[in-house]
Amino acid sequence: YLRDRQKGTTTLIDFAATSPAAAFYFPDSWGISADGAFLCATVFLFDSMFELIAPTAWRYDRTSGVAEIVAADSAGTPTLLYSIIEYSAISADGRYVAFASDAALTPEASLVNANAYRKDMETGDVVLISVGADGSAANGSTDVVTIDGSGTVVAFRSSATNLIDPPATNTLPDVYVRTLPGGATTRVSAGLGGVEASGAVGSLSMSGNGRFVAFRSLGTELFEGDTNGVSDMFRVDLVTGARDVVTLA
């Protein structure tokens, strides 16, 4: 459902109507454009026997009432059946949608790990976000993704070690940021001095102007004196490189 708080109306967003075989659906990981005209969501479609048809990412146009598949390659071919789709996010004007999928939607994408992508809904162009520092496929999976208002900065969580040079050496997921078009990938969740963090990261978000990234980490190397034994929230300024601990008393 979509609730318009100014008009006091509630609208049903019926993704089951997007597939003739779909009898039930389970939406997850919602995003909404700045003016509320577009929604994006990860939707799991089921048939009448409650068998999974396919999970995929969609963009819904409130004006036209049309739902479009986001998780497709530049030629419009949807992701494979049972492809894993997680965490879709949408730009402020609704043009760009970032999402994670285990389908290889670009030639350089990994065939064995989930990848992060950004799709231009106007041109159909799909860009691989989780790409190795040398242009090769990522050697680990990516799941959580978020995008700034302009659609040119994407942050994501990945266990790949070859996204930066020199490569990461830990075995835990890190938070990375990639600027488009053709920008470098930067890791923002490493410890002080660039040491590897010893704890997992999660709860990723980005400011509308793409300057700040917030995330949660169990690592104890991200600030001096971290002895509380629990995860902390951090905010990174991508312009200055400064990192603030949000959860300090």
Side-chain angles (χ1 to χ4, degrees):
Y1 294 90
L2 177 68
R3 179 70 176 174
D4 188 323
R5 297 178 62 190
Q6 291 186 350
K7 296 181 179 179
T9 58
T10 301
T11 304
L12 172 65
I13 310 299
D14 187 8
F15 283 97
T18 60
S19 173
F24 310 97
Y25 66 96
F26 174 72
D28 194 12
S29 181
W30 288 90
I32 189 168
S33 63
D35 62 358
F38 295 96
L39 306 175
C40 72
T42 300
V43 181
F44 298 81
L45 300 174
F46 299 87
D47 63 19
S48 58
M49 300 301 293
F50 214 71
E51 292 291 330
L52 180 65
I53 299 173
T56 193
W58 298 82
R59 187 189 72 163
Y60 181 81
D61 185 332
R62 290 183 58 209
T63 302
S64 66
V66 174
E68 301 174 82
I69 292 179
V70 176
D73 61 21
S74 295
T77 304
T79 56
L80 299 175
L81 195 65
Y82 301 118
S83 179
I84 298 171
I85 305 291
E86 300 182 278
Y87 298 102
S88 56
I90 195 166
S91 63
D93 62 0
R95 175 173 177 172
Y96 299 101
V97 179
F99 62 97
S101 171
D102 67 351
L105 301 179
T106 62
E108 69 274 36
S110 171
L111 297 173
V112 295
N113 298 302
N115 305 281
Y117 299 96
R118 188 202 69 174
K119 183 167 185 177
D120 185 332
M121 299 302 294
E122 289 188 5
T123 66
D125 185 46
V126 177
V127 177
L128 177 65
I129 302 300
S130 53
V131 62
D134 60 356
S136 62
N139 61 6
S141 288
T142 298
D143 49 15
V144 184
V145 294
T146 186
I147 194 169
D148 78 326
S150 69
T152 60
V153 185
V154 180
F156 59 98
R157 181 178 69 179
S158 180
S159 61
T161 60
N162 66 335
L163 302 177
I164 54 175
D165 185 22
T169 59
N170 61 351
T171 58
L172 296 170
D174 277 299
V175 176
Y176 297 89
V177 176
R178 187 169 180 85
T179 303
L180 300 171
T185 298
T186 304
R187 181 169 61 165
V188 298
S189 58
L192 296 173
V195 301
E196 301 290 350
S198 59
V201 297
S203 302
L204 177 62
S205 64
M206 176 178 285
S207 62
N209 62 6
R211 177 169 178 170
F212 299 100
V213 176
F215 62 92
R216 173 177 53 83
S217 177
L218 278 167
T220 59
E221 299 82 6
L222 278 69
F223 70 96
E224 293 183 1
D226 186 359
T227 58
N228 58 8
V230 297
S231 61
D232 290 288
M233 290 296 300
F234 299 89
R235 187 193 72 165
V236 176
D237 187 329
L238 299 178
V239 175
T240 67
R243 181 165 57 203
D244 299 318
V245 189
V246 180
T247 48
L248 283 181

